[in-house]
Amino acid sequence: MSSKDIDIEFILKKEREMKRERLKRAWFRFKRSKLALTGLSIFLALLIAATFADYVAPYPKHAGTYVNFKERFQPPSLKHLFGTDHLGRDIFSRVIFGLRLAFLMIGIVISIVLPTGTVLGLIAGYYKGRWIEHIIMRLADMFVALPPLILALSICAILEPNIVNAMIAVTLMWWPWYTRMVYSMTSALRNEPYVWAVRALGMRDLSIMFKEILPNILGPILTKATLDAAWVILIGAAISFLGLGAQPPTPDLGTMVSEYMTYFPKNWWMILGPVLGIAIIIMAFNLLGDGLREVFAGE
Amino acid sequence: MPKNYLSYLKKIYKSVIFRRAVLSLLSLLGLSLIIFTLARVMPGDPARMALGPRAPEEVVQRYRELLHLNEPLYLQYYYWLRDLFQGKLGISLVSFREVSIDIAEFLPATLELMMLTAIIQIIGTIVFGTLSGSRPGSIIDGALRVFAYIGICIPAFAWALFLQFIFSYQLGWFPPTERISPGISIPRVTGFMTIDALIAGNFNAFVDALWHLFLPSLALALGAMAQEARILRSAMVENISKDYVLTFMSHGLPYRLVYFKYALKPSLVSTIPVMGLDIASLIANAFMVEIIFNWPGLSKFGITAMLRKDLNGIVGVVLVAGLIYTITNIIVDVIITLVDPRIRYGGGGE
């Protein structure tokens, strides 16, 4: 049989069809779970509200250094859903802008950590037993030897306390957890027959890592990223709550909690808004992550 | 019997736990190098930054000499390491005392909090996990499920604020802040308020200290407890339908004995690692709860040191927190080996 008999076009078409079919099945598995769907809709709603915060928030000016002493310490009402703070700013508007900062933080941190952690883990796992594995994994061990929050806090403290450095700190704290997970999965997969087969065919190491091994571990990686996004929010909120992250008047959720805690037992509703903001964004990511886990577990 | 002793030592050396302990201590040392370098390499003069722009040049110069800031970096690290092995972490800028003295003063309060939290967490996990695991689909099971979701979403500091608001400020059942009521004074022996009270023979003070401990511990325990109870519950549901349980039942063993002894033990194997990590992380999570309850623990010193850019203080807190984290993790490893015979007899191969 000559190579002409193989219809490349047909194979590619079939492959595309299969891909579409797989996506359809994944979506079917995802939407079977009501909680996952709830998570997805909350996530989308929050994302839209955060992106268009200038139009969604009733008082977009209140996000910054706006002052209106006439309306300070207003309890929650229809006009001010979460009340107003010590400077007369609408807390609801500030929480929406806080969501935007939270999403920004997740976006930036994930887009740095996910590729870096994955690539390092792939390399360390594939070259298990070589010197490069030892360097990468011992470095990861060092960062894991400390509770994440303490590491992030101390990095923030050594750098200047602001929101950019908080992101740097979270990034530095987070990558080893990815690297370790990808490492353990890669080092398990590298002895699979299909990896041997492509190696025998002369495929280069980098291509094996990215074309053969990576697609097989992408599911757990994405699931972990979603679940960990909630965790990033928590750590980020903790950093700014302790005064080492974003500084007032930045409308960061953690900063707001610490700012409003001064008035705590008396004007307790002030912290309600930011805390609810943190809780709902964490909930959305958790539900979404559970849904994704279902999708990939079914494969 | 020296031979036996030697073989015992050999066994320890070969064990995974020993290797992990050595490795984590080495990692901690490496981490200290990273933090140390980061702290010294940052642009700007650390001495000037620490003392503020208005400090006279003479004082800044003295501080620079105190920290060996004029010398090359590797020598600075060498001095620091030499002092470390003598138990000295340098002078703190916050209190102008040895950092190790400061930490020794503040750490027991945090450890006390961690311990009660761990106790609440363990008891709560086992109670709720077994309760809902024995009746899947029941009201308790459903309530636990909802509670677990809420527990994941609400961070510990929010629980702390919530509990403080309801039980201290509204109902007045618990004191809102501090470790002990004003007016009660007990001599400091161990630094653990409850133990000191018992040593002094003052039972009222003991109850008072416990009363102060309860809310912050509960706030720290709640979220993690809900998740762990869920893990235990699903393990229980899985184990209870296994053949060996059926065998025990068919031999006429009482249900409770089978359930709480033979089904609970293997179910704990999957719960303990998660629980252990949560308990070890308390050293960090306690930071925010301590601030809310005005608890004079490690966070009080740590946060002040961090906000004031007190390099010795920061590195000291990092090291001590890392050490406690590591030790807790090793203890958890030992407990896992005790519970799980597969690890105990399997030799713990890779």
Side-chain angles (χ1 to χ4, degrees):
Chain A
M1 195 191 273
S2 72
S3 65
K4 273 182 190 165
D5 294 334
I6 302 171
D7 191 348
I8 297 283
E9 281 298 310
F10 179 74
I11 293 175
L12 284 180
K13 200 178 147 212
K14 212 61 190 168
E15 217 162 63
R16 273 200 297 274
E17 262 173 28
M18 270 166 72
K19 218 174 227 169
R20 214 173 297 137
E21 184 69 15
R22 271 217 302 275
L23 270 179
K24 236 190 233 165
R25 281 186 193 169
W27 171 242
F28 175 75
R29 275 195 301 269
F30 186 82
K31 77 180 176 182
R32 244 186 343 192
S33 156
K34 279 204 185 91
L35 283 177
L37 273 184
T38 320
L40 184 67
S41 35
I42 296 176
F43 171 78
L44 287 178
L46 289 180
L47 191 65
I48 290 169
T51 318
F52 301 104
D54 293 296
Y55 307 102
V56 175
Y59 308 93
K61 266 192 203 155
H62 293 208
T65 48
Y66 177 87
V67 176
N68 179 9
F69 283 119
K70 249 190 226 162
E71 295 219 340
R72 65 202 291 229
F73 298 132
Q74 298 266 334
S77 61
L78 277 180
K79 198 173 162 216
H80 300 289
L81 221 47
F82 291 144
T84 58
D85 66 3
H86 54 298
L87 297 175
R89 296 173 294 192
D90 179 45
I91 295 176
F92 181 65
S93 307
R94 286 176 66 76
V95 168
I96 289 178
F97 278 92
L99 289 178
R100 176 191 270 185
L101 268 183
F103 274 114
L104 199 67
M105 181 152 184
I106 293 178
I108 291 176
V109 170
I110 284 193
S111 56
I112 298 172
V113 166
L114 205 58
T116 324
T118 309
V119 168
L120 285 177
L122 272 173
I123 291 173
Y126 190 77
Y127 293 118
K128 193 175 179 170
R130 309 251 196 108
W131 56 271
I132 191 148
E133 180 229 345
H134 289 291
I135 291 180
I136 293 175
M137 291 324 287
R138 292 301 85 77
L139 204 64
D141 281 346
M142 263 181 221
F143 281 89
V144 177
L146 206 63
L149 181 62
I150 299 257
L151 184 62
L153 282 178
S154 49
I155 292 170
C156 274
I158 289 168
L159 309 171
E160 211 52 38
N162 61 42
I163 190 146
V164 177
N165 288 339
M167 287 181 196
I168 293 176
V170 173
T171 311
L172 277 177
M173 156 223 101
W174 197 19
W175 70 268
W177 299 89
Y178 266 94
T179 303
R180 279 159 68 110
M181 186 182 79
V182 174
Y183 165 77
S184 64
M185 288 191 298
T186 309
S187 57
L189 285 184
R190 67 197 259 274
N191 286 330
E192 290 283 313
Y194 69 84
V195 175
W196 288 357
V198 287
R199 200 184 292 152
L201 285 174
M203 202 171 190
R204 282 191 326 194
D205 285 355
L206 274 179
S207 310
I208 297 178
M209 278 181 229
F210 287 100
K211 285 192 183 146
E212 300 296 328
I213 296 179
L214 185 62
N216 284 305
I217 57 176
L218 207 56
I221 294 176
L222 288 180
T223 309
K224 188 175 165 56
T226 320
L227 287 172
D228 277 358
W231 201 53
V232 168
I233 301 273
L234 255 178
I235 299 258
I239 294 173
S240 26
F241 174 75
L242 293 170
L244 290 158
Q247 302 295 322
T250 316
D252 182 90
L253 295 171
T255 313
M256 274 191 259
V257 177
S258 79
E259 224 184 326
Y260 298 161
M261 237 183 65
T262 327
Y263 313 95
F264 172 49
K266 199 167 152 244
N267 298 325
W268 56 272
W269 66 82
M270 283 169 73
I271 57 162
L272 200 66
V275 166
L276 274 179
I278 294 172
I280 200 164
I281 197 166
I282 292 175
M283 186 172 82
F285 276 108
N286 269 315
L287 293 176
L288 204 60
D290 282 349
L292 280 183
R293 184 155 44 196
E294 285 290 301
V295 168
F296 293 119
E299 251 174 25
Chain B
M1 279 174 281
K3 202 179 169 193
N4 237 343
Y5 187 64
L6 210 78
S7 74
Y8 187 64
L9 267 185
K10 226 179 208 170
K11 211 171 163 190
I12 290 181
Y13 177 72
K14 271 189 179 166
S15 72
V16 179
I17 290 168
F18 178 78
R19 259 184 289 166
R20 262 201 61 182
V22 171
L23 207 67
S24 355
L25 285 180
L26 281 179
S27 309
L28 214 55
L29 211 62
L31 190 74
S32 81
L33 179 64
I34 292 178
I35 298 275
F36 186 87
T37 317
L38 209 64
R40 297 296 196 272
V41 166
M42 278 322 289
D45 180 1
R48 175 56 76 187
M49 261 196 290
L51 296 173
R54 279 186 297 175
E57 184 56 37
E58 201 181 283
V59 179
V60 175
Q61 195 58 40
R62 258 219 324 269
Y63 183 67
R64 221 174 268 148
E65 273 165 29
L66 198 72
L67 285 182
H68 305 288
L69 285 177
N70 293 327
E71 285 164 74
L73 201 66
Y74 63 91
L75 267 181
Q76 288 184 35
Y77 188 65
Y78 164 72
Y79 287 131
W80 183 81
L81 213 57
R82 194 189 59 189
D83 285 350
L84 179 70
F85 281 107
Q86 292 169 358
K88 284 191 279 187
L89 289 163
I91 304 289
S92 160
L93 264 182
V94 180
S95 61
F96 299 102
R97 286 189 304 184
E98 202 21 69
V99 170
S100 47
I101 296 176
D102 272 327
I103 288 178
E105 185 183 328
F106 288 110
L107 189 61
T110 300
L111 288 182
E112 201 173 22
L113 194 63
M114 278 176 75
M115 276 172 196
L116 190 69
T117 308
I119 292 170
I120 293 178
Q121 210 167 308
I122 291 167
I123 294 175
T125 300
I126 291 179
V127 168
F128 291 116
T130 48
L131 262 181
S132 61
S134 65
R135 295 177 193 82
S138 68
I139 298 173
I140 295 177
D141 192 34
L144 183 78
R145 184 199 221 129
V146 173
F147 186 65
Y149 265 115
I150 296 173
I152 296 172
C153 303
I154 297 187
F157 71 86
W159 279 121
L161 287 167
F162 175 72
L163 292 175
Q164 194 188 36
F165 180 65
I166 299 285
F167 293 106
S168 301
Y169 291 121
Q170 294 296 319
L171 298 171
W173 292 353
F174 291 93
T177 51
E178 296 294 335
R179 288 177 79 187
I180 198 138
S181 300
I184 300 179
S185 74
I186 37 178
R188 185 188 168 99
V189 187
T190 55
F192 290 82
M193 206 54 98
T194 46
I195 297 175
D196 281 355
L198 284 182
I199 290 175
N202 189 343
F203 192 70
N204 282 341
F206 173 74
V207 173
D208 192 69
L210 217 56
W211 219 233
H212 280 79
L213 261 172
F214 185 71
L215 273 194
S217 308
L218 190 65
L220 274 172
L222 271 180
M225 192 179 83
Q227 290 172 53
E228 290 152 14
R230 280 293 289 175
I231 296 173
L232 181 63
R233 178 239 174 227
S234 45
M236 285 298 274
V237 170
E238 195 190 316
N239 278 328
I240 207 80
S241 60
K242 280 195 177 153
D243 286 345
Y244 76 95
V245 171
L246 200 68
T247 314
F248 279 136
M249 300 285 219
S250 61
H251 278 75
L253 258 71
Y255 178 75
R256 272 181 193 206
L257 183 74
V258 177
Y259 193 74
F260 286 104
K261 191 170 174 192
Y262 298 108
L264 180 61
K265 215 172 154 188
S267 306
L268 280 176
V269 170
S270 59
T271 319
I272 289 175
V274 181
M275 206 190 266
L277 198 66
D278 278 336
I279 290 174
S281 307
L282 283 179
I283 185 77
N285 293 341
F287 262 56
M288 289 157 302
V289 175
E290 281 181 8
I291 296 280
I292 290 166
F293 284 95
N294 197 13
W295 196 259
L298 193 64
S299 73
K300 198 162 195 169
F301 177 72
I303 293 298
T304 326
M306 284 169 181
L307 289 174
R308 294 271 296 273
K309 262 190 187 297
D310 172 6
L311 296 182
N312 284 335
I314 294 172
V315 179
V317 168
V318 165
L319 265 188
V320 170
L323 200 64
I324 289 170
Y325 189 66
T326 308
I327 291 173
T328 322
N329 277 326
I330 291 169
I331 294 174
V332 171
D333 279 352
V334 173
I335 293 174
I336 291 170
T337 4
L338 290 181
V339 174
D340 193 349
R342 282 171 301 185
I343 298 176
R344 205 182 331 152
Y345 299 121
E350 302 233 317

